């Protein structure tokens, strides 16, 4: 179990731009993995996520357009560089991500890169059995997106270990 306590950010639905966001908080683990070398750092995130039931799916940067997923929660592990991201859609909040950080996004939370170092790269992972779609925010489909994201099952474990339900407001 990971003893590192995450920062939590709760982002309400953005009705103006059509981003459902979530009642569940975004989890931000600062310096979750100590990285000396990017390749071994990426492998460390992949192994850690997989041990906890979050299947690594890609190594890439963060898209530079607002988007969210209605069918999956997402874990992002930064293994190289740094970036400034916006969470919650166009009227959301900005956060800086650095090498070693992990960001856990509940289904529906908007995210986008505002700026990044040239070498910025992350590992992306999703709970076993969940496959992400890609939505860009649309006020006309917000009600459907709210229903879809609320129906995404909670995984048993957080991507860094421990009971995710406890971190997301449930029982330990």
């Amino acid at each position: 179990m990971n003893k590192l306590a995450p920062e939590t950010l709760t982002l309400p639905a953005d009705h103006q731009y059509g981003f459902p966001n979530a009642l569940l908080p975004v989890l931000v683990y600062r310096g979750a993995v100590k990285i000396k070398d990017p390749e071994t750092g990426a492998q460390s995130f992949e192994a850690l996520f997989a041990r906890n039931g979050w299947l690594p799916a890609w190594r890439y940067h963060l898209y530079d357009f607002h988007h969210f997923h209605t069918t999956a929660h997402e874990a992002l592990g930064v293994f190289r560089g740094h970036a400034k991201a916006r969470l919650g859609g166009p009227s959301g909040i900005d956060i800086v991500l650095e090498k070693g950080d992990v960001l856990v996004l509940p289904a529906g939370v908007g995210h986008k890169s505002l700026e990044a170092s040239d070498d910025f790269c992350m590992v992306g992972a999703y709970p076993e059995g969940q496959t992400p779609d890609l939505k860009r925010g649309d006020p006309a489909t917000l009600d459907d997106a709210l229903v879809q994201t609320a129906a995404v099952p909670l995984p048993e474990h957080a991507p860094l270990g421990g009971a995710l339900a406890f971190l997301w407001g449930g029982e330990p």
Side-chain angles (χ1 to χ4, degrees):
M1 178 176 160
N2 189 289
K3 301 289 185 202
L4 186 63
E7 296 172 24
T8 58
L9 306 168
T10 303
L11 302 166
D14 182 332
H15 296 274
Q16 179 180 358
Y17 294 104
F19 284 81
N21 294 315
L23 296 175
L24 303 171
V26 171
L27 306 175
V28 184
Y29 295 87
R30 299 290 182 186
V33 172
K34 302 301 178 217
I35 297 175
K36 295 177 184 171
D37 165 81
E39 181 60 27
T40 57
Q43 292 169 353
S44 294
F45 277 123
E46 290 165 346
L48 178 61
F49 293 164
R51 268 195 315 273
N52 291 297
W54 291 66
L55 305 180
W58 49 265
R59 294 181 185 183
Y60 200 60
H61 56 83
L62 183 59
Y63 291 141
D64 63 358
F65 57 87
H66 293 287
H67 67 285
F68 62 92
H69 312 290
T70 62
T71 56
H73 306 296
E74 183 171 41
L76 305 172
V78 181
F79 65 87
R80 193 172 61 215
H82 60 276
K84 182 177 179 183
R86 176 153 303 150
L87 304 178
S91 58
I93 62 169
D94 296 349
I95 183 172
V96 174
L97 299 170
E98 297 186 6
K99 179 174 64 172
D101 291 350
V102 171
L103 184 63
V104 183
L105 300 169
V109 172
H111 49 291
K112 128 180 205 164
S113 175
L114 296 173
E115 57 188 58
S117 60
D118 291 342
D119 63 342
F120 179 70
C121 206
M122 306 179 298
V123 168
Y126 306 94
E128 192 169 350
Q130 295 183 16
T131 304
D133 57 0
L134 189 119
K135 305 287 184 172
R136 293 192 181 216
D138 178 354
T141 61
L142 179 59
D143 289 341
D144 289 340
L146 286 164
V147 170
Q148 290 172 321
T149 58
V152 176
L154 296 183
E156 184 176 346
H157 299 288
L160 300 186
L164 185 59
F166 176 71
L167 295 169
W168 275 351
E171 296 297 317

